Amino acid sequence: QQQVKQSPQSLIVQKGGISIINCAYENTAFDYFPWYQQFPGKGPALLIAIRPDVSEKKEGRFTISFNKSAKQFSLHIMDSQPGDSATYFCAAKGYNFNKFYFGSGTKLNVKP
Amino acid sequence: EAGVAQSPRYKIIEKRQSVAFWCNPISGHATLYWYQQILGQGPKLLIQFQNNGVVDDSQLPKDRFSAERLKGVDSTLKIQPAKLEDSAVYLCASSLQGPIYFGEGSWLTVV
């Protein structure tokens, strides 16, 4: 059973545009929702994260929107740049044992 | 603060051979994870340690994969015998509370 569903699988955005990646989760026993950015040949790196008692968190050009009732959260990248081209993974952490469930990833391509 | 260290970075082996990957987590991180990432997919948890005890190894193919975390610090993941479908990146990660931090990964090609 896939605990975290991510969409779209791939995304092409023009430079300066807004990139939006969505995730939905099924289990309510999650208490932490991070996003990871992965460049080719590298391990995933923590980008931004949110806890369920907050509806939005912004760090620079990156914003997480969180809808607890709908069990959905999304990543918005404002003013997207070619350097943002990477694969993005959402994740959810269970209350117990620090167990993380990952989405299937979104490959973002920002065209100059 | 030093990150998660993994070695080797790259390994090419023939099927039915064995391979071992080593991981040194961030100092003080009690939880250590091994993930398998096949190209184009998200990380799949193989095994999770809390200190030197196993929390979850439900997706570890135990007939060929083994992992240990001696003294609750370093960890080793072994594959024996390797199959073609084991070609993937093996990511080690660690956490204290909150986010997990990944290493650069060990790239395995089985030919």
Side-chain angles (χ1 to χ4, degrees), chain A residues 2-38:
Chain A
Q2 189 177 2
Q3 299 269 8
V4 180
K5 295 181 180 179
Q6 183 172 347
S7 63
Q9 188 175 8
S10 63
L11 182 61
I12 299 174
V13 173
Q14 291 294 323
K15 178 182 175 181
I18 302 173
S19 303
I20 302 174
I21 304 171
N22 300 298
C23 283
Y25 61 96
E26 299 179 355
N27 192 332
T28 56
F30 292 141
D31 63 356
Y32 183 76
F33 299 87
W35 284 89
Y36 287 84
Q37 179 187 56
Q38 186 176 29

Side-chain angles (χ1 to χ4, degrees), chain A residues 9 32 34 36 38 40-46 49 51 89 93 96-105, chain B residues 9 31 33 35 37 40-43 45 48 50 55-56 91 95-104 107:
Chain A
Q9 188 175 8
Y32 183 76
Y36 287 84
Q38 186 176 29
K42 301 290 187 181
L46 179 66
R51 295 197 181 274
F89 295 97
K93 184 182 82 70
N96 298 319
F97 305 119
N98 271 7
K99 188 169 182 178
F100 284 77
Y101 299 86
F102 283 85
S104 54
Chain B
R9 285 297 317 276
T31 309
Y33 312 79
Y35 285 89
Q37 186 176 28
Q41 298 182 17
L45 181 68
Q48 178 180 340
Q50 181 74 17
V55 173
D56 185 351
L91 294 165
S95 73
L96 183 56
Q97 292 177 7
I100 61 174
Y101 296 92
F102 287 90
E104 296 280 78
W107 294 67

Side-chain angles (χ1 to χ4, degrees), chain A residues 3 18 21 29 38 55 58 61-62 65 67 74 98 107:
Chain A
Q3 299 269 8
I18 302 173
I21 304 171
Q38 186 176 29
S55 61
K58 183 176 181 179
R61 298 184 293 109
F62 301 92
S65 296
N67 186 327
S74 59
N98 271 7
K107 188 171 184 178

